[in-house]
Structure formats: structure tokens, C-alpha cells
Amino acid sequence: MSIFTPTNQIRLTNVAVVRARRAGKRFEIACYRNKVMGWRSGAEKDIDEVLQTHTVFVNVSKGQVAKKEDLVKAFGTDDQTEICKMILSKGELQVSDKERHTQLEQMFRDIATIVADKCVNPETKRPYTVILIERAMKDIHYSVKPNKSTKQQALEVIRQLKETMQIERAHMRLRFILPQKEGKKLKEKLKPLIKVIENEDFHEQLEIVCLIDPGCFREIDELIRCETKGKGTLEVLSLKDVEEGDEKLE
């Protein structure tokens, strides 16, 4: 679709329109296709990569620009870029049924890819293939939410899949080196956050190699920094504790 704006004759091509209704009026912005969802998920952070023009329209296809007084009444400002951001995050993306279907299919695959990348079978420690995760998502009738990021939805999928199959986040392997004075007391505080202690050595310092759930990493990091006043060290030995080869689902 190509669009001409009569005011300045800028030819807008490859247009995706995002529409919002405010104060009884319709407002539209012209965006690049495939960029709107990237902005909403946080993958795209450059507004100029998303907007074709920092102009608010009442009708993009006819090139009808919104009046300043209407913008102020509806949005409380006439700053076009800020209004574009509001419409971009809350507005409705105008797409054909075919485009919407393609978009949802792509998001479904992206979610399955994230899940496969982050998870393993807890019994074998082997990762699942993307195809296997896609099949499992279809079995639980998972419905993609177009306005929610794929990362958020992947965490939701993991929670739901746990009810029907052996799956969990792959553990991170860490090494802590803690000062002798705080070591024993701090170990007791860290225990609830540790899945498995693989090795422990206590001489002048307490050294622990362990597996943790990735969701606990930030809490562990803060605990060690605060309790040891920066004297303790935390080292990531591996981001994922996995065995070689893919998991098969019989």
C-alpha cells in the first residue's frame, strides 16, 4: 500500500497504521511494518525506526493531519512525538486477517524458541527441541497474546507446561567465595536459594560451587554484596547446566 500526504507530498510506503480513539475523535500514526510489535516488546528502542513520520493524523491513508487543538484536548499536549508514543503503546494496530495470522504464528514460534532455549527435562538435564515445545504448546491450547512480549509469555508457557510434562528452567552453575567471618552465617541465608551444592571448601574462605534457579540470581548477588560489603565474590560458571543431545518425547 502506498499513501500520499497532500500537505507535503511525502510518499509513505510499507505502512502499518496504529489507531486510537480519544475525546470522541480518531487519531492515527504511520509506522513501519514489523516494527510496532518490536517497540511494544522492548526489542526496538529507536522511535525513528518505528515511525514513518512524527505526525499525528486523523486519517493516514488520506493524509489528513490532526488539528493542534484536538491533540491538546485529547492528549493534554501538542508534542507530536509524545502523542505518537502514547498511540504506539495503547493504540490498535490495523492489520489484515492474513497479516495478523502470520504475526501470531511468528510470535508462537518465538515463544517456543525461548522456552526451548531456557528449559530442560529435570530428570535427564537434556534440552527440548523447538518443535517439541511447539507441539506441547498446541496440546495445552496456548493462545498467543499479541500485546504481551514473547519473553513474558515464555515464562507463562513454562508455568503451564509444568502441569503436563517434565520441564523446568535450566539451572545456572555459580561459584561463591565468601570471607571466613561472614561465610557460615551467609551460607544459611543462601541455602533456600540454592538447588544443589556440588562442591564446598572451607579453609581461609568459604568456597561453594552450586546450581541455582536463574530467577534467584539477582537476589543471591545482592545478598552476597550487602552481607560481605563487597568482599565476597560471585562467579557464573555456566548459564545453563545441560547434558549433550536433545530430549525425545516418547
Side-chain angles (χ1 to χ4, degrees):
M1 180 170 73
S2 295
I3 297 169
F4 287 92
T5 55
T7 50
N8 52 15
Q9 292 299 302
I10 292 176
R11 189 177 186 188
L12 300 176
T13 57
N14 190 27
V15 179
V17 175
V18 181
R19 181 183 297 160
R21 285 195 170 275
R22 284 281 192 103
K25 292 189 181 292
R26 184 176 80 178
F27 300 95
E28 296 182 346
I29 55 174
C31 304
Y32 291 103
R33 265 188 212 294
N34 308 323
K35 289 291 186 175
V36 176
M37 300 315 294
W39 176 268
R40 288 178 172 176
S41 69
E44 179 58 68
K45 294 188 167 50
D46 186 352
I47 193 73
D48 291 321
E49 290 291 320
V50 184
L51 296 176
Q52 296 228 6
T53 171
H54 292 241
T55 304
V56 181
F57 299 85
V58 289
N59 189 314
V60 168
S61 61
K62 293 180 182 176
Q64 294 173 348
V65 178
K67 293 175 183 172
K68 182 177 175 179
E69 56 266 32
D70 290 340
L71 293 176
V72 173
K73 185 179 176 185
F75 298 96
T77 179
D78 63 352
D79 184 326
Q80 302 254 347
T81 302
E82 285 307 309
I83 295 169
C84 284
K85 286 179 181 177
M86 290 183 214
I87 296 173
L88 198 50
S89 51
K90 303 277 173 141
E92 187 181 329
L93 178 61
Q94 307 300 302
V95 291
S96 67
D97 289 343
K98 186 181 176 184
E99 285 175 315
R100 186 177 285 108
H101 181 69
T102 304
Q103 195 178 65
L104 292 177
E105 274 190 339
Q106 184 57 52
M107 286 187 79
F108 190 89
R109 273 194 297 275
D110 290 347
I111 293 164
T113 302
I114 294 169
V115 173
D117 184 56
K118 289 185 178 296
C119 294
V120 292
N121 180 323
E123 291 183 356
T124 64
K125 292 284 188 285
R126 288 173 180 248
Y128 288 106
T129 63
V130 175
I131 292 170
L132 204 146
I133 295 296
E134 283 185 351
R135 197 189 312 157
M137 285 168 66
K138 285 172 184 169
D139 288 344
I140 63 169
H141 307 292
Y142 184 76
S143 179
V144 174
K145 299 161 188 70
N147 291 329
K148 214 172 174 187
S149 78
T150 50
K151 198 170 180 181
Q152 282 178 305
Q153 292 187 75
L155 295 173
E156 177 58 35
V157 166
I158 294 167
R159 278 194 290 272
Q160 290 187 28
L161 289 180
K162 279 182 178 179
E163 297 173 15
T164 60
M165 65 190 283
Q166 291 280 343
I167 189 169
E168 69 175 28
R169 294 277 298 272
H171 294 144
M172 290 174 75
R173 181 175 281 109
L174 304 179
R175 179 191 284 125
F176 319 137
I177 299 176
L178 310 172
Q180 188 178 37
K181 189 180 174 186
E182 296 90 352
K184 284 187 176 176
K185 191 171 80 170
L186 185 49
K187 181 190 165 187
E188 292 307 308
K189 290 186 179 180
L190 290 168
K191 257 186 181 176
L193 304 172
I194 295 172
K195 287 283 185 182
V196 179
I197 293 179
E198 293 185 325
N199 190 33
E200 189 174 341
D201 190 14
F202 192 53
H203 292 300
E204 292 180 5
Q205 307 178 101
L206 175 60
E207 183 177 329
I208 297 174
V209 175
C210 63
L211 299 177
I212 67 153
D213 187 303
C216 296
F217 177 78
R218 190 172 294 171
E219 193 177 344
I220 289 171
D221 185 35
E222 285 177 3
L223 197 57
I224 290 174
R225 272 192 290 116
C226 293
E227 294 285 330
T228 67
K229 296 182 172 60
K231 291 176 187 171
T233 60
L234 170 58
E235 182 186 352
V236 178
L237 299 179
S238 64
L239 288 170
K240 290 192 296 184
D241 175 43
V242 295
E243 297 292 336
E244 290 297 316
D246 293 327
E247 186 61 33
K248 306 282 192 298
L249 199 63
E250 302 300 333

